[in-house]
Structures are given as structure tokens and as C-alpha cells.
Amino acid sequence: MSLVLFAEVLLEAVFLSVDPYMRSFSKTHMKEGDVMIGGQVAKVIQSKNPAFPVGSHVVSNSGWRTHTLSDGTGLTPILPEWPKDVSLSLALGAIGMPGLTAVYGIEDVLGLKEGETLLVNAAAGAVGSVVGQIAKIKGCKVVGSAGSDAKVAYLKELGFDEVFNYKTVGSLEEALRKASPEGYDCFFENVGGPSSDVVLQQMKNFGRIAVCGSISTYNDSQPQTGPYPYFTMIFKELKMEGFLQSRWEHKHPETLKRLLAWVKEGKLQCREHVTKGFDNMPAAFMGMLQGENMGKAVVAV
């Protein structure tokens, strides 16, 4: 007996995403008992919608659930040219929302140019690792900050020019200066907190900052206050802009094809931290917030 009505599809989750934004969003927009938000790659197992035939795969914002009944709204089919040897889980990572975030932050917010120097923190994460690689594709010097020696080694494998472990350096200021004595043209901000003020002091005049995340503050019970970097921003004439990838949704199809092409050409390397089992979603989520992952954190159902 079919469970679906006209134009509806029944989805079965294959891979689910855990991302930092879920923490901040859930604190401000959700109440106890709500289904946790999030993206997933799902298989169509029943369909009355010709746009989504049985057996096809889609990306869906269905949240933390194994099965979803959908009228097709908001479903994005996996690209038809997706290679058989590339895991569909990358549609939640480098060829998905994190990859889109990296591209738009670099191109539309920062306007990164060949020969410039870019700093990215949380550089071994889902977004940061893609940011650094795209910047290298564009001919830039890339400096990355990460939280373990294993992550530093991973980023060097990806081609980052300079990488340091922020947990073990004696001075963040000295580490930044050593990595790029001439300063930084662009800063891709994923962490927030007091460390950001240290970075701003070493931005070049007319530097640009793309504010993508603030993971260091997401678990705070009380909002952090200060430091207030206005004088630095004024006298260096810095530009700082927060952004969400959804602003450029009209460009998603084209951008996803570009990301897939870089993967197929070997220019964009993808590492995943895979947790098995839907029941392990909370553990995977908490582990990601604690920095256990290198690359994208996903759950395989």
C-alpha cells in the first residue's frame, strides 16, 4: 500500500549532516520537542512526483529523521553528472552547503585576488578546508589555524602555505606574524571570540573580513562582550561582512557544478568524519562542536 498522495514523495535518509550552525539556530529558533534542523542526502523510495523517480537521490533539509514525506518543495536532485566513484555524502560537504559557503565567501564577500594572502581559522573543518583549497586554486598564499597537530599535518597535505596549532603556540600574535610578516589581505572568520581582535591588528590596510561563523561562542550561556575593534577597523579602513550562502541561491546550480569539476580534476580534496548509525546523531553533533572532525562531519544511516 502506497503512503504517498499525488505529487508526494517518501524519502529515506542515507547520509545526514551535523554542522555548527545547528547549535546557534537551535538556541534561538527552536523549543524542546522540535525536530532538529539539518540537511540530508535521501533516497526516493516511493513517488507520485515524476520529477523525483523512485531510486533517485536528493538533498533535503528534512532535519534529523530517517523518513520524510515531501511534496517536492525544496528538494535538490543530485547532479546528473555525479561520478559513480564519488560518495553522495559529499553533497553535504565540499559539493554542498559548506562548499557553497566557501565559494561565496571568497568570491562575493572577500573578492579574493591572485597573489593576496588569506587567513582562515577552523581551517580543518568542513568550510575552512575548502576555503583554503579554493584560495590556492586562485593563486593565493593561504595561512590556516587549527586545533591539533594532526589537523596541521592534514592542511599541509592540502597545500596550505603556513599552518599552526593555535592551542600550542605561545602567542597567537607571534604565530600570525611569523606565518605572514607582511600581514593579511583577507580573513575568513569561522571562530569568533577574542582571537579575532588579534587577527584584526595584523590585517593590511583596506583588508576584508568574511564572517562565516563564531563557533567559539555557540555554547556560551552568557553572550561575550568586547573587545571592541572599531579604532583598528577605522584606521586600517577594514571591511567586515557577515553572510549566509542562501543569499546566492540563484547561483547554486552553477556553483555546485564548479565544485564537482574541481573534485573530479583532483584540485579539491575531501576528507570526511563519518559516524555510523542514526542513533549516534547527538554524539556526532557534540563531537563536531568539540573539534573531533577533520573535514565534514556526517552520519551514515
Side-chain angles (χ1 to χ4, degrees):
M1 175 179 164
S2 175
L3 299 176
V4 300
L5 302 175
F6 177 73
E8 288 186 330
V9 295
L10 181 61
L11 305 174
E12 183 174 72
V14 181
F15 296 103
L16 296 107
S17 180
V18 288
D19 299 284
Y21 78 85
M22 296 174 178
R23 178 62 173 139
S24 56
F25 186 92
S26 64
K27 288 173 66 176
T28 57
H29 291 80
M30 300 180 68
K31 62 183 184 300
E32 185 176 348
D34 289 347
V35 175
M36 185 59 149
I37 61 170
Q40 60 174 249
V41 172
K43 183 177 181 179
V44 178
I45 58 173
Q46 291 187 27
S47 178
K48 293 289 181 66
N49 189 324
F52 305 102
V54 171
S56 62
H57 289 84
V58 298
V59 176
S60 166
N61 289 316
S62 298
W64 290 16
R65 62 180 96 206
T66 58
H67 292 82
T68 305
L69 195 61
S70 169
D71 64 2
T73 302
L75 302 184
T76 303
I78 295 293
L79 292 171
E81 60 267 41
W82 196 281
K84 297 289 187 182
D85 60 346
V86 174
S87 174
L88 292 177
S89 57
L90 293 190
L92 300 174
I95 317 174
M97 182 273 290
L100 294 168
T101 301
V103 170
Y104 301 141
I106 287 174
E107 296 183 349
D108 296 87
V109 178
L110 294 175
L112 186 66
K113 302 178 181 65
E114 182 178 1
E116 291 188 319
T117 299
L118 169 80
L119 171 69
V120 55
N121 53 16
V127 174
S129 58
V130 178
V131 166
Q133 293 182 81
I134 294 176
K136 290 306 300 179
I137 291 172
K138 292 181 175 294
C140 298
K141 177 180 177 179
V142 178
V143 177
S145 168
S148 74
D149 291 342
K151 291 180 179 180
V152 168
Y154 165 57
L155 294 172
K156 289 181 177 177
E157 290 176 10
L158 293 182
F160 281 55
D161 296 282
E162 301 287 344
V163 193
F164 61 86
N165 181 347
Y166 73 88
K167 293 181 179 178
T168 58
V169 294
S171 163
L172 178 58
E173 181 180 358
E174 291 178 6
L176 289 168
R177 186 172 293 113
K178 179 180 179 182
S180 182
E182 69 279 6
Y184 298 88
D185 300 287
C186 292
F187 174 32
F188 198 107
E189 166 71 290
N190 292 308
V191 175
S195 64
S196 297
D197 187 59
V198 180
V199 175
L200 295 189
Q201 306 299 324
Q202 298 196 39
M203 296 296 294
K204 296 180 182 180
N205 289 349
F206 306 105
R208 293 95 72 199
I209 301 102
V211 183
C212 171
S214 183
I215 193 171
S216 72
T217 68
Y218 291 164
N219 284 324
D220 290 348
S221 56
Q222 293 294 326
Q224 294 185 22
T225 59
Y228 304 102
Y230 304 123
F231 281 119
T232 301
M233 295 189 68
I234 292 167
F235 288 107
K236 287 181 175 286
E237 299 185 71
L238 304 178
K239 177 183 177 182
M240 178 183 287
E241 180 178 347
F243 73 101
L244 299 170
Q245 49 82 26
S246 55
R247 188 195 313 178
W248 297 276
E249 187 173 1
H250 61 285
K251 297 202 296 186
H252 282 6
E254 167 203 346
T255 307
L256 290 172
K257 290 180 181 179
R258 293 173 59 201
L259 288 162
L260 178 58
W262 282 331
V263 170
K264 292 166 68 174
E265 294 165 7
K267 295 179 179 179
L268 184 57
Q269 303 295 318
C270 308
R271 182 176 291 193
E272 295 178 300
H273 185 96
V274 181
T275 301
K276 294 185 178 180
F278 179 79
D279 290 345
N280 292 318
M281 289 289 296
F285 181 54
M286 290 185 286
M288 177 273 303
L289 289 173
Q290 293 165 357
E292 294 178 0
N293 59 299
M294 276 195 280
K296 181 72 184 77
V298 295
V299 173
V301 179

